[in-house]
Amino acid sequence: DKKIANKLAYVMAGGDLSEATLVSEQYLLDLEREAFLSLTGEKTSLLCSNIVQTEFLKSQMHFTKSTML
């Protein structure tokens, strides 16, 4: 979880910029792609899969409860 959060923060902060700089959308997309690819190891992929499944199940439970009301 911490590894994913750190990568997300890195991308959202614009990478390793030493000062405030305007960057292109392509620069940010490249940062995002680089971060994603660095997280595609087996352990991280399993973690991401687990997070997605958990959130999906939570949303399904919420949907089921709201339709019963």
Side-chain angles (χ1 to χ4, degrees):
D1 292 344
K2 183 179 178 185
K3 185 175 183 180
I4 295 169
N6 286 340
K7 289 291 183 178
L8 178 60
Y10 177 79
V11 171
M12 292 179 69
D16 286 329
L17 300 174
S18 60
E19 58 186 54
T21 307
L22 290 176
V23 296
S24 68
E25 180 179 359
Q26 189 59 51
Y27 174 83
L28 294 173
L29 291 171
D30 291 344
L31 275 181
E32 183 180 2
R33 184 182 315 103
E34 178 185 315
F36 177 79
L37 291 175
S38 74
L39 293 171
T40 56
E42 182 179 332
K43 185 176 180 181
T44 305
S45 294
L46 290 172
L47 175 62
C48 290
S49 177
N50 186 37
I51 291 170
V52 168
Q53 289 175 358
T54 301
E55 291 304 314
F56 176 76
L57 291 174
K58 285 181 186 176
S59 69
Q60 291 300 310
M61 288 179 4
H62 177 72
F63 176 75
T64 302
K65 286 180 183 177
S66 66
T67 58
M68 294 176 77
L69 296 176

